[in-house]
Amino acid sequence: MQFQWYPGHMAKAKRAMQEDLKLIDVIIELVDARVPFSSKNPDIDHLANGKARIMLFNKSDLADPARTEEWMAYYEKKGYFVHKINAKRGTGIKAVHEVIRTACREKIERDRKRGILNRPIRAMIVGIPNVGKSTFINSFAKKACTKTGNKPGVTKGKQWIRLNRQVELLDTPGILWPKFEDQKVGLRLAFIGSIKDELFHIYELSILLLEYLNQQYPEAVTDFYQIDNEKNPAKQLELIAKRRGCMKPGGELDVDKAAKYMVDDFRAGRLGTISLEVAEG
Ligand code: G4P
């Protein structure tokens, strides 16, 4: 899904989220494992206000596993319960139940001491567009899918999916907005395809992506396109255009078309498992 945010849009989303969060015990935030910083929205931290926090690293099939481990350790230190998944294939999904139980252990214990035994834990999925929220909810709720909607007074108008005896999930995810102020963030979200391609010219985008890959994952480019000795992104694109037969009607190389192929190859994981950010500290 492509998404364009405007200030009005954001204010509305924020208000809706604030209302939903009142009903929630644990927030399950999805980030894209390739960009665990850029796909995380800091505003949710203010809204979350002491609730249990889970961070799921989705699309882990596309990210560099070593970097993902570093990022998981980074966010774990910040108090999140972390776990990596591939929502599309369902990998790691089952274990999310256990993560929820662990994250909510204190609350369950508190309830038990007060004599409250059967109050379900309520969870909600949040994340920026395209991070895989719907895919995750479908996959996670598939087996346990009992919808328990419209409980008067408490959850008016809300649909809940009962996952098991202890946990209910709000069936509509909270949509977070990215950090637009930071240009690097915008660029990385464009690389992974979460920002409209029209905002960046595909040729420029591809050149910048090749620059990054040549530095960080040089073999990803040379192996896949078999262009061993060429390290200049513009020339690499010409070679890719030749290899892929990207020609304009007059016979001139169509480097824009090659750029699109290249960016698509990256997004689909055909260049290998690649991360765009390094965890610091
Ligand atoms: P959203 O609700 O957060 O906006 O995201 P959504 O579930 O619509 O997922 C966005 C895209 O990401 C979808 O691709 C989906 O298949 C893909 N996706 C979700 N989780 C994973 C994952 O763990 N790994 C990979 N590789 N992809 C994932 P799409 O191209 O829009 O649709 P489709 O062609 O896959 O059906």
Side-chain angles (χ1 to χ4, degrees), residues 1 30 58-62 85-89 127-136 173 267-268:
M1 182 174 64
L30 261 68
N58 193 34
K59 308 200 186 184
S60 58
D61 53 310
L62 301 174
I85 57 168
N86 170 352
K88 199 169 173 176
R89 295 199 56 186
I128 66 167
N130 210 44
V131 78
K133 297 179 296 299
S134 316
T135 312
F136 172 76
R267 288 177 182 166

Side-chain angles (χ1 to χ4, degrees), residues 31 35 47 91 121 142 211 223 280:
V31 292
V35 283
L47 301 179
T91 321
I121 295 288
K142 204 162 40 191
E211 262 172 23
D223 287 2
E280 278 161 26

